[in-house]
Amino acid sequence: KARSYEAAVEQWKKVRDFYPDNDTLFAKATLQIAQIQSEAEQYSFSEAEYNVFYKMWPDSPDAEKAMFSRGFILNENLHKDTLALQVLEEFQAKYPNSEMGKDVNWLIENIKSGGKLAEELMKKIESEEQILNSEFGIRSELLRLRPQ
């Protein structure tokens, strides 16, 4: 799987090398490389490509996604919360009506809380899973005991 990611990145890099003057192809290749590297868990490289993308093509319809992805990776994968906070707050200012606005707000509040929001969310999910598991266990036992 790692080799297929590497091969895909190399192909998109060739597109950039062969068509440096084709802005549309260059932008598409840059975004694809960022996405592939993220999927391959090469977060430092992915973050850098997303940064290049939205700096070079700030008016692209994909610039919003690139900026969000960079902020998310900085926070969740690279644990560079100070930089993530800067990127996410810049995102809020630049895209105040974004569909990703709620997610950005939550990430910002989580960073400011020192990760407490994420901890609370995980505890809530675990608690609900325990309740569901116990309810399912009770139902299973009742079905097992039910006369046939």
Side-chain angles (χ1 to χ4, degrees):
K1 194 171 184 178
R3 285 192 178 169
S4 64
Y5 286 132
E6 289 172 19
V9 167
E10 287 308 312
Q11 291 302 314
W12 283 110
K13 284 182 178 180
K14 285 180 184 176
V15 168
R16 289 197 306 201
D17 291 343
F18 290 134
Y19 303 102
D21 296 329
N22 185 325
D23 200 53
T24 303
L25 272 179
F26 203 95
K28 181 175 175 91
T30 301
L31 190 61
Q32 290 298 317
I33 289 168
Q35 291 171 340
I36 293 164
Q37 287 174 324
S38 180
E39 290 172 22
E41 298 179 4
Q42 295 178 344
Y43 299 116
S44 293
F45 294 112
S46 178
E47 179 268 327
E49 292 288 337
Y50 280 126
N51 187 29
V52 166
F53 185 89
Y54 79 76
K55 297 260 189 212
M56 289 184 69
W57 298 282
D59 299 323
S60 164
D62 293 316
E64 180 179 350
K65 177 182 177 185
M67 184 181 269
F68 173 83
S69 297
R70 179 177 183 231
F72 182 85
I73 288 169
L74 284 166
N75 174 241
E76 290 292 316
N77 306 111
L78 300 178
H79 309 290
K80 295 182 178 181
D81 289 346
T82 303
L83 186 54
L85 190 58
Q86 290 173 354
V87 171
L88 294 168
E89 287 176 337
E90 181 183 344
F91 181 97
Q92 271 184 327
K94 188 166 184 171
Y95 305 105
N97 300 318
S98 172
E99 290 181 15
M100 294 178 272
K102 286 183 181 179
D103 296 328
V104 169
N105 292 341
W106 190 91
L107 288 169
I108 288 171
E109 290 307 312
N110 186 54
I111 292 168
K112 288 180 177 180
S113 76
K116 288 189 171 104
L117 288 180
E119 288 174 22
E120 291 170 10
L121 181 60
M122 289 307 296
K123 286 178 186 175
K124 183 178 178 182
I125 291 170
E126 288 170 3
S127 173
E128 289 175 4
E129 284 177 349
Q130 288 174 349
I131 291 168
L132 287 173
N133 287 338
S134 67
E135 286 178 5
F136 180 75
I138 291 168
R139 279 196 210 115
S140 296
E141 187 64 21
L142 290 173
L143 288 174
R144 190 180 70 75
L145 296 173
R146 188 172 79 194
Q148 306 259 337

